[in-house]
């Protein structure tokens, strides 16, 4: 029987973020499961929207599970964490005496030593198994894919939705593609695109990405994919890419050429959608259909930001917004103080703003209205079924204002309504909801949102790319705003 070694190592690295990503970051349970080894992978991830879960469910071969690890997006992955985890994966793949390897990767991991850390993992495996050994990989839609990475893998496929509601489905597609590769040789074709697309312009629920991804299945290849890239990464491989596989080189090239043309033709239509935070708040206050959902994408923990900026919070208070709630500001200190004081108490808090390059703490007197241990199950389309472990959380009503703030102890973007409900806030009953997220929140909030706004407030995930001080991109890269 064919034996497949499976492993996962995911991180989306924002090289402009000062949030550290060490080995302990991968061990911690937060919005995603912490580091998991061996047979526990098969039971812990069953039914979850995670690539390795989809691969295992769809794979008709014997599975040799090695390790799966993911850390919340942040700054550079430490060399220690990378070496320790990648060594375990490479050694485990060899020890499994497998006939093929499947890797659940992100595609945008960066360390101080390796601009393309995942290409380095593939290179190390390839060095041990030789050029013909089948290696299948699934990637995030935001992967910054290099030619070296493409050439080291046998087959690659990527998420096709943003918000990522097809994560497990992508793992299943990787299983089918690996079977096809093991049945006989295919030809591959790869293109890099010479412009960077803001994260907020990449949603497949909007044009032009919607039409580009809709064309993948009809492009005439055995498989074709598009990675739109993760822009806050100052590395040469940063940016979009297209790749395809066919029975002939002509078939693969034809599909890759088609997707490349579609991306190039759409360049002028990829816009950040940002509006000034002050304007966003005032529009939300005037809205006739509620709730209005305001995203704070430039402080999105899901893109490596601290998740603790207070710019949008200040605009809510200054504008006199009523019936407004924001979740979640990463502030373990205030969360602890609220738990020590207890429900019903009034505390004086300096909320958020610990990363002072983006904002200051918001000083306020706040009533502690609810507390939680931060342990709950996500129910939305993206995270649904995953167990969140966000540590002590608190619901704080800022006295003298109409604003309520949810603070928590572990960084996590708000892509699921449960991040309000865990402290007793039912999202549909509020006038204004503010979420620390860029796009993923739409999967769970669109059904209740009267309107959605993307607020421009300072943070570590800049979405107007022409304002970022890149120094290491490929020559000729264009920066969209």
């Amino acid at each position: 029987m064919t034996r497949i070694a499976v492993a996962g190592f995911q991180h989306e690295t924002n090289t402009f973020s000062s949030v550290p990503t060490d080995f302990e970051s991968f061990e911690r349970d937060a919005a995603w499961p912490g580091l998991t080894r061996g047979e526990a992978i098969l039971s812990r991830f069953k039914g979850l929207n995670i690539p390795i879960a989809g691969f295992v469910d769809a794979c008709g071969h014997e599975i040799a599970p090695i390790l799966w690890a993911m850390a919340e997006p942040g700054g550079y992955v430490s060399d220690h964490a990378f070496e320790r985890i990648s060594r375990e994966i490479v050694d485990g793949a060899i020890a499994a005496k497998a006939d093929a390897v499947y890797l659940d990767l992100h595609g945008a991991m960066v360390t101080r030593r390796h601009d393309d850390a995942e290409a380095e993992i593939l290179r190390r495996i390839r060095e041990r198994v030789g050029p013909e050994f089948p290696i299948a990989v699934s990637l995030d839609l935001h992967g910054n894919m290099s030619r070296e990475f493409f050439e080291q893998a046998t087959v690659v496929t990527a998420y096709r939705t943003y918000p990522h509601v097809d994560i497990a489905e992508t793992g299943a597609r990787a299983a089918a593609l690996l079977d096809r590769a093991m049945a006989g040789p295919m030809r591959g074709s790869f293109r890099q695109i010479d412009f960077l697309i803001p994260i907020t312009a990449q949603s497949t629920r909007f044009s032009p990405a919607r039409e580009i991804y809709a064309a993948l299945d009809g492009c005439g290849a055995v498989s074709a994919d598009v990675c739109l890239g993760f822009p806050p990464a100052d590395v040469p491989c940063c940016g979009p890419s297209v790749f395809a596989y066919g029975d002939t080189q002509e078939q693969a090239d034809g599909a890759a050429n088609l997707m490349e043309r579609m991306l190039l033709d759409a360049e002028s239509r990829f816009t950040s959608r940002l509006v000034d935070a002050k304007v966003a708040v005032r529009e939300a206050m005037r809205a006739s259909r509620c709730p209005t959902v305001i995203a704070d994408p430039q402080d999105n923990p899901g893109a490596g930001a601290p998740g603790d900026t207070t710019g949008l919070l200040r605009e809510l208070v200054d504008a006199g917004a009523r019936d407004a709630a924001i979740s979640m500001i990463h502030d373990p200190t205030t969360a602890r103080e609220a738990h020590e004081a207890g429900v019903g108490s009034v505390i004086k808090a300096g909320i958020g703003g610990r990363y002072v390059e983006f904002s200051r703490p918001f000083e306020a007197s706040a009533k502690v209205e609810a507390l939680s241990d931060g342990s709950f199950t996500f129910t939305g389309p993206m995270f649904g079924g995953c167990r969140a472990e966000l540590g002590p959380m608190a619901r704080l009503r800022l006295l003298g204002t109409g604003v309520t703030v949810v603070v928590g102890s572990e960084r996590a973007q708000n892509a699921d309504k449960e991040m309000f409900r865990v402290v007793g806030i039912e999202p549909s009953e509020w006038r204004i909801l503010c979420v620390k997220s860029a796009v993923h929140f739409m999967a769970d909030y669109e059904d209740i949102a009267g309107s959605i706004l993307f607020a421009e407030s300072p943070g570590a995930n800049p979405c107007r790319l022409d304002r970022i001080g890149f120094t290491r991109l490929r020559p000729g890269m264009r920066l969209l705003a």
Side-chain angles (χ1 to χ4, degrees), residues 254-340:
N257 289 340
L258 172 63
M259 303 317 300
E260 180 183 34
R261 282 198 303 275
M262 289 190 73
L263 271 169
L264 292 173
D265 290 346
E267 179 176 355
S268 64
R269 294 188 288 137
F270 284 112
T271 58
S272 68
R273 298 177 174 269
L274 293 182
V275 295
D276 182 83
K278 187 186 299 293
V279 173
V281 168
R282 296 202 176 276
E283 283 191 28
M285 293 171 65
R286 292 193 299 266
S288 57
R289 286 188 59 214
C290 299
T292 297
V293 181
I294 305 177
D296 192 3
Q298 298 193 145
D299 189 38
N300 172 26
D308 80 334
T309 64
T310 57
L312 182 55
L313 172 59
R314 289 180 188 280
E315 296 297 348
L316 289 169
V317 173
D318 289 350
R322 313 300 298 178
D323 198 21
I326 183 168
S327 177
M328 180 186 76
I329 292 181
H330 178 226
D331 188 345
T333 300
T334 299
R336 185 187 68 249
E337 291 171 352
H339 276 253
E340 290 172 350

Side-chain angles (χ1 to χ4, degrees), residues 84-293:
R84 184 169 174 180
I85 296 172
S86 61
R87 184 183 305 115
E88 193 168 339
I89 290 173
V90 175
D91 290 347
I94 303 308
K97 300 186 185 308
D99 301 292
V101 169
Y102 160 69
L103 297 176
D104 170 2
L105 305 177
H106 183 282
M109 184 190 299
V110 184
T111 74
R112 294 290 182 182
R113 290 184 187 173
H114 302 293
D115 289 338
D116 186 347
E118 286 127 325
E120 176 63 14
I121 296 170
L122 287 177
R123 187 194 66 77
R124 294 179 185 187
I125 294 176
R126 190 61 76 193
E127 191 175 61
R128 303 275 293 273
V129 300
E132 304 302 322
F133 188 85
I135 302 175
V137 184
S138 61
L139 293 180
D140 193 290
L141 175 148
H142 304 302
N144 289 325
M145 197 168 172
S146 67
R147 180 167 294 279
E148 179 188 4
F149 181 99
F150 180 76
E151 292 176 350
Q152 295 282 7
T154 306
V155 287
V156 185
T157 189
Y159 309 163
R160 296 177 177 179
T161 61
Y162 182 34
H164 303 329
V165 295
D166 69 330
I167 302 178
E169 180 183 326
T170 302
R173 192 165 59 249
L177 195 54
L178 178 59
D179 278 345
R180 176 64 182 77
M182 290 192 294
M186 290 188 295
R187 304 300 181 194
S189 190
F190 174 78
R191 309 278 188 278
Q192 287 180 312
I193 309 300
D194 288 335
F195 57 80
L196 298 190
I197 305 171
I199 283 285
T200 46
Q202 294 184 11
S203 176
T204 57
R205 302 199 175 197
F206 303 141
S207 294
R210 179 172 53 208
E211 292 76 25
I212 290 169
Y213 279 87
L216 287 174
D217 285 336
C219 67
V222 172
S223 174
D225 282 287
V226 175
C227 283
L228 293 179
F230 182 61
D234 196 8
V235 292
C237 61
C238 184
S241 59
V242 301
F243 48 99
Y245 299 95
D247 293 316
T248 65
Q249 192 64 53
E250 182 180 28
Q251 187 183 55
D253 287 343
N257 289 340
L258 172 63
M259 303 317 300
E260 180 183 34
R261 282 198 303 275
M262 289 190 73
L263 271 169
L264 292 173
D265 290 346
E267 179 176 355
S268 64
R269 294 188 288 137
F270 284 112
T271 58
S272 68
R273 298 177 174 269
L274 293 182
V275 295
D276 182 83
K278 187 186 299 293
V279 173
V281 168
R282 296 202 176 276
E283 283 191 28
M285 293 171 65
R286 292 193 299 266
S288 57
R289 286 188 59 214
C290 299
T292 297
V293 181

